[in-house]
Amino acid sequence: VPDSQYGTYVWPCAVVLAQYLWARRRSLPGKRVLEIGAGASLPGVTAAKCGAQVILSDSEELPRCLRSCRRSCRANGLPRVPVLGLTWGRVSPELLSLGPVDIVLGSDVFFDPKDFEDILSTVYFLLEKNPHAQFWTTYQVRSADWSIEALLCKWKLKSTHIPLRSFGADREHLAGSSLPGRHTIEMMIISLAQPDSP
């Protein structure tokens, strides 16, 4: 049963993002990966198992989620994967001191619209610091009224839709859920928008 703190449950978006990482496992060794809003950490753990240098993070205000990250690492034989408290929308010493990253992961972070701008401001900060990095994210379509398109423009970011069938994640056992409600999963890669050339 899902906990009141969402980060202690493996949601379908995490499974789909882990499948994407697995499909690209040959490109991951040596890559520097940061998972934001990691919770149970399935995507980050998958990346680490595939040879990436991973840092897991969740809100510094949710110690239970940070414990969940550490527990996932121990259970998967990854006791040395760092776990940081990073809160979306907050420029903290931990965020400022992060080393270079190649890939930022976020599974179902676009859950509550009140957090969308904080998430994208944090992603923008990370991509500005690492202009060749990308944000790989899966999200569940919960309402046709929710969109991040205007915020992507505001933060000078662009998105590329990744069809689930392109990496074998369109099967019901991966993208489905026994939980009630709508469970359409989508994936996109977000990167810095290129400035218009004169």
Side-chain angles (χ1 to χ4, degrees):
V1 175
D3 191 276
S4 59
Q5 285 190 337
Y6 306 119
T8 58
Y9 182 81
V10 178
W11 295 90
C13 285
V15 177
V16 171
L17 188 53
Q19 174 74 13
Y20 187 76
L21 289 155
W22 180 250
R24 275 142 194 78
R25 62 191 174 276
R26 287 177 185 80
S27 69
L28 292 175
K31 288 279 195 272
R32 298 160 302 192
V33 174
L34 169 68
E35 184 175 4
I36 63 170
S41 313
L42 178 61
V45 164
T46 302
K49 287 289 198 179
C50 291
Q53 300 167 26
V54 174
I55 296 173
L56 300 174
S57 73
D58 212 312
S59 173
E60 60 193 329
E61 298 166 1
L62 299 173
R64 195 166 174 192
C65 290
L66 295 170
R67 285 194 301 273
S68 181
C69 291
R70 291 184 186 98
R71 199 167 36 252
S72 291
C73 289
R74 284 193 304 273
N76 286 282
L78 300 166
R80 290 187 182 84
V81 170
V83 176
L84 296 179
L86 295 178
T87 302
W88 304 325
R90 185 178 300 160
V91 178
S92 64
E94 291 78 12
L95 182 64
L96 291 170
S97 64
L98 272 177
V101 296
D102 301 302
I103 301 165
V104 180
L105 300 174
S107 152
D108 213 3
V109 294
F110 294 108
F111 178 84
D112 189 338
K114 74 175 175 48
D115 295 326
F116 290 3
E117 184 148 28
D118 285 343
I119 295 162
L120 289 176
S121 68
T122 299
V123 168
Y124 178 79
F125 177 87
L126 292 164
L127 297 184
E128 270 284 295
K129 246 177 103 169
N130 304 277
H132 300 291
Q134 296 179 325
F135 178 42
W136 296 1
T137 184
T138 50
Y139 61 97
Q140 186 172 319
V141 180
R142 292 182 171 89
S143 169
D145 299 331
W146 294 3
S147 173
I148 62 166
E149 292 305 315
L151 289 172
L152 289 173
C153 287
K154 176 180 178 178
W155 287 99
K156 299 179 180 67
L157 298 167
K158 65 176 182 177
S159 68
T160 303
H161 179 261
I162 307 296
L164 269 54
R165 70 180 173 282
S166 71
F167 58 99
D170 54 342
R171 299 181 193 98
E172 181 64 27
H173 72 281
L174 286 175
S177 171
S178 59
L179 295 170
R182 189 170 174 202
H183 295 285
T184 302
I185 307 292
E186 300 285 342
M187 173 161 184
M188 65 181 155
I189 292 178
I190 294 175
S191 55
L192 289 176
Q194 298 305 312
D196 297 331
S197 21

